[in-house]
């Protein structure tokens, strides 16, 4: 596998054109002769790999029969429909996770954090399936697996043991969900999750849809526990809609407290949920990541997993139209996600992993606004896709798995 | 030009497969031998042409240099930046309107209502430019031109005379803008607009961004004037954010009053603006249309003009994920727009104009959720585009104009 390549005439983050060198899978300009493999980036914008910080690889229906959505309006309706679909549609987590990864690879998505369901019906089968895909496609993409108690944890006896089993099976991160409205006991839910994470020496990622002051209270509980267990930089809160619903002083105080414990926040910029105050979050030094959430599943019928399009959604939800703001949302979907996920060697500097995506656009803002599809994707010095299409031999290999 | 065609195996609105016949440019199953020109729709979904009920053809920057957006956050900042850009960038309304039309044609957008700026700097030059494009491309698309006082009307002396001149030059509709926050005198602004429309015997389309009760008050003024001048079915309100900001009983009362005067409402489903209550609006029998608003201009850098993607935005903004709701947003972007714009002979029934778009999808909901690009577009029996690409000879003709 070619791991050395010279990329001529690329514009990192939309800046001035440079030649980039990848040697033995990492960026590095120093050293001997230039690699013999070379491509002309034609002035396209170079970004490090796009980062998908929040999705559900095990539940996408890509490539399956159309699911007619007649699900009721509440989160509980959706959780029930989701579990029923897993039972009745035969959603194979191994196959479906591979399908989503292959769909988002030509966009340049090279790192993915996936929440994966753990419950008393399927046990840890979905964890095992996604881990199998991760192993099969490890040369193509980095995958982090969150053991996720989608159906609730404490009220469904046995789930916590399954979460423990998931961690022993190889999951990377302990997940949690709505400590109050789903698990009905915020303190015990969070205590259980933090204890599990502490025991396994693993990070935490909690779905928090709780609204207003209830969500703010749950955030306070997380902040206290992060501090008590010295888990700074190892906790992510996903969604955190409440941050968009508080009065200004309360909002700012909470964001500063999250930043002080280096707790990251993931937002998808959903058009139907409260908008998070991205500018304030940036000013306060909060680490912000983004994700597609589930794509094409029983929850939502849409989604393509393109994290450059996600940057556009973030800007649109926040009414941001300035070039500088669009560059910031692009940063959230690259460096922000990498920081939140704790990716090592992420970036375009010497020594960083040789991952990049070339986007045909004049400015970074244009890349976000128009999300051009004809991208070139390079992973550890190997060309995976050109002009938006995966290279042939890669596709033949990967198709077998998907 | 071929105007007779047999379309085999198409699924109108996602229903059962049928053969559709277009004779002499109109749908019609009765009559003699089948047309000799025939295509296999391969089970694709047939929709009548997509309807763009609100855009700004004269101001798109498609194909021009990248505009670095450093514009301030208020509507007035944007209006000033917009007028400056028209002065300094040489935005040719004739050329730019053609570019946008050609960009949206392969999506199947076959009817467009465009607001076109009228102000004391450019006079009616943009109106003349868009009218010229309309004439040149009349075989491809129906265009309605709204004389639009973007910079304000009463406070800028001479604008009302220019509006009158625009109507005499061939504009189809009298436009208006924020009677209170921009024109600073809701009664005199609306009186002037309704008088102009009455004098020319033309419909009205008013941009209304006014929020909350101020917006509601302006809507009441419009309802009173529509009734007094018997303009039922000839007034559209664009945006009407206030409808998403009122308490339930006030909201419903106002929607019922609009429906009673057959005043249509256009919403783009903007992620950063209040969401309109689409379900309630449907229940009350209100005519609802949608549009892209400006695409790729100094206001907003994004937008492709695809009205099927717009249906997705509407659903996403309203948190609608059921198949039935997605079918409804598709209806808004087709029949809803056609009704609001007063298009004659719109639909897939015998006698209707032979316009349609074939979308490769299993269900109408899938068409909205995934917005497949490889569409076939037929206009008055003539194939304009196949697999998402305009046919060659068409492109050669039209390129000359754009």
């Amino acid at each position: 596998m070619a791991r050395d390549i010279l990329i001529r005439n690329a514009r990192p983050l939309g800046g001035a054109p440079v030649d980039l060198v990848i040697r033995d899978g990492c960026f590095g300009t120093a050293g001997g002769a230039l690699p013999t493999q070379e491509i002309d980036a034609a002035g396209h914008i170079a970004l490090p790999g796009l980062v998908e910080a929040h999705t559900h690889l095990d539940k996408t229906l890509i490539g399956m029969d159309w699911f007619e959505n007649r699900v009721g309006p509440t989160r509980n309706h959706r959780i029930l429909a989701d579990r029923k679909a897993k039972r009745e549609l035969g959603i194979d987590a191994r196959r479906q996770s591979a399908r989503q990864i292959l769909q988002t690879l030509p966009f340049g998505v090279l790192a993915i954090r996936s929440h994966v369901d753990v419950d008393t019906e399927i046990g840890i089968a979905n964890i095992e399936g996604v881990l199998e895909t991760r192993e099969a496609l490890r040369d193509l993409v980095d995958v982090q697996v969150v053991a996720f108690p989608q159906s609730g944890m404490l009220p469904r006896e046995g789930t916590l043991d399954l979460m423990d089993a998931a961690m022993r099976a190889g999951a990377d991160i302990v997940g949690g969900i709505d400590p109050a409205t789903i698990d009905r006991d915020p303190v015990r839910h969070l205590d259980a999750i933090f204890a599990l994470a502490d025991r396994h020496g693993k990070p935490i990622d909690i779905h928090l849809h709780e609204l207003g002051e209830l969500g703010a209270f749950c955030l306070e509980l997380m902040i206290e526990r992060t501090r008590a267990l010295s888990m700074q930089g190892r906790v992510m809160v996903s969604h955190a809609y409440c941050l968009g619903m508080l009065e200004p002083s309360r909002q700012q105080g909470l964001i500063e407290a999250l930043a002080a414990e280096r707790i990251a926040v993931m937002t998808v910029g959903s058009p139907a949920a409260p908008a998070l105050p991205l500018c304030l979050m940036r000013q306060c030094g909060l680490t912000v990541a983004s994700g597609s959430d589930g794509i094409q599943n029983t929850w939502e019928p849409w989604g393509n997993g393109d994290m450059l399009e996600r940057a556009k959604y973030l800007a649109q939800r926040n009414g941001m139209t300035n070039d500088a703001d669009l560059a910031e949302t692009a940063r959230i979907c690259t460096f922000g996600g990498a920081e939140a996920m704790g990716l090592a060697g992420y970036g375009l500097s010497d020594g960083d992993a040789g991952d990049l995506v070339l986007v045909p656009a004049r400015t970074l803002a244009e890349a976000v606004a128009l999300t051009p599809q004809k991208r070139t994707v390079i992973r550890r010095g190997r060309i995976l896709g050109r002009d938006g299409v995966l290279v042939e031999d890669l596709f033949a290999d990967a198709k077998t798995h998907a």
Side-chain angles (χ1 to χ4, degrees), chain A residues 139-161:
Chain A
D139 289 340
L140 308 182
V141 62
D142 294 309
V143 176
Q144 294 184 345
V145 171
V146 184
F148 176 50
Q150 169 79 77
S151 292
M153 194 174 72
L154 299 181
R156 294 177 66 87
E157 211 173 326
T159 307
L160 189 54
D161 291 339

Side-chain angles (χ1 to χ4, degrees), chain A residues 212-231:
Chain A
E213 280 297 334
L214 179 58
F217 174 66
C218 290
L219 284 178
E220 290 171 341
L221 295 178
M222 293 179 207
I223 290 166
E224 291 163 10
R225 281 155 184 74
T226 301
R227 191 184 298 128
L229 292 172
S230 299
M231 285 192 65

Side-chain angles (χ1 to χ4, degrees), chain A residues 7-11 18 39-46 358-360 386:
Chain A
I7 301 125
R8 289 202 185 275
N9 191 21
R11 293 188 299 120
V18 298
I39 62 167
D40 178 6
H44 292 180
I45 292 174
L358 296 167
V359 184
R386 297 200 77 152

Side-chain angles (χ1 to χ4, degrees), chain A residues 302-379:
Chain A
W302 38 63
N304 59 13
D306 179 4
M307 288 305 299
L308 202 51
E309 183 175 304
R310 184 57 48 186
K312 182 176 74 169
Y313 269 85
L314 288 176
Q316 288 178 322
R317 181 68 184 98
N318 282 268
M320 294 168 156
T321 52
N322 276 17
D323 282 41
D325 290 328
L326 271 57
E328 171 61 16
T329 62
R331 206 196 61 74
I332 290 172
C333 296
T334 51
F335 290 92
E339 188 180 331
M341 286 172 58
L343 297 181
Y346 181 87
L348 298 175
S349 304
D350 276 11
D352 288 336
D355 292 0
L356 84 162
V357 51
L358 296 167
V359 184
R362 290 168 289 185
T363 66
L364 191 47
E366 183 181 36
V368 171
L370 301 185
T371 60
Q373 300 297 296
K374 295 194 170 178
R375 305 177 201 168
T376 293
V377 180
I378 295 175
R379 161 90 169 166

Side-chain angles (χ1 to χ4, degrees), chain A residues 87-311:
Chain A
R87 270 199 309 272
E88 297 180 0
L89 301 183
I91 306 175
D92 178 335
R94 185 196 60 77
R95 181 192 65 204
Q96 293 308 113
S97 55
R99 285 181 178 169
Q100 181 170 331
I101 289 169
L102 292 180
Q103 170 163 315
T104 62
L105 207 50
F107 296 132
V109 175
L110 297 178
I112 298 176
R113 174 176 286 192
S114 177
H115 296 256
V116 178
D117 285 4
V118 172
D119 69 43
T120 52
E121 284 190 14
I122 53 155
I124 64 165
N126 279 22
I127 296 277
E128 291 167 339
V130 175
L131 287 174
E132 207 177 313
T133 291
R134 168 166 81 177
E135 184 57 28
L137 304 184
R138 63 181 307 148
D139 289 340
L140 308 182
V141 62
D142 294 309
V143 176
Q144 294 184 345
V145 171
V146 184
F148 176 50
Q150 169 79 77
S151 292
M153 194 174 72
L154 299 181
R156 294 177 66 87
E157 211 173 326
T159 307
L160 189 54
D161 291 339
L162 288 166
M163 296 276 291
D164 189 68
M167 298 311 294
R168 282 184 274 114
D172 308 287
I173 295 141
V174 175
I177 186 168
D178 294 342
T181 54
I182 290 186
D183 250 25
R184 316 299 306 166
D185 188 338
V187 169
R188 284 183 60 237
H189 179 84
L190 291 172
D191 280 349
I193 281 172
F194 274 83
L196 189 60
D198 192 44
R199 192 157 70 247
H200 287 277
K202 296 291 188 186
I204 284 176
D205 192 330
I206 303 175
H207 277 67
L208 187 75
H209 309 96
E210 322 278 23
L211 302 178
E213 280 297 334
L214 179 58
F217 174 66
C218 290
L219 284 178
E220 290 171 341
L221 295 178
M222 293 179 207
I223 290 166
E224 291 163 10
R225 281 155 184 74
T226 301
R227 191 184 298 128
L229 292 172
S230 299
M231 285 192 65
Q232 290 82 359
R234 293 166 64 75
V235 177
M236 177 133 71
V237 186
S238 290
H239 303 306
Y241 300 142
C242 61
L243 287 177
M245 305 172 76
L246 305 170
E247 55 153 292
S249 69
R250 174 79 165 127
Q251 185 182 53
Q252 177 155 353
L254 207 44
I255 289 170
E256 285 170 352
L258 289 166
E261 302 305 325
R262 293 168 44 226
I263 295 175
V265 170
M266 189 300 303
T267 177
V268 306
S270 165
L276 268 57
L278 293 185
C279 291
L280 178 64
M281 289 156 77
R282 170 175 45 177
Q283 281 161 25
C284 294
L286 194 70
T287 300
V288 182
S290 189
S292 307
D293 212 339
I295 70 175
Q296 300 176 41
N297 62 22
T298 65
W299 294 70
E300 297 195 316
W302 38 63
N304 59 13
D306 179 4
M307 288 305 299
L308 202 51
E309 183 175 304
R310 184 57 48 186

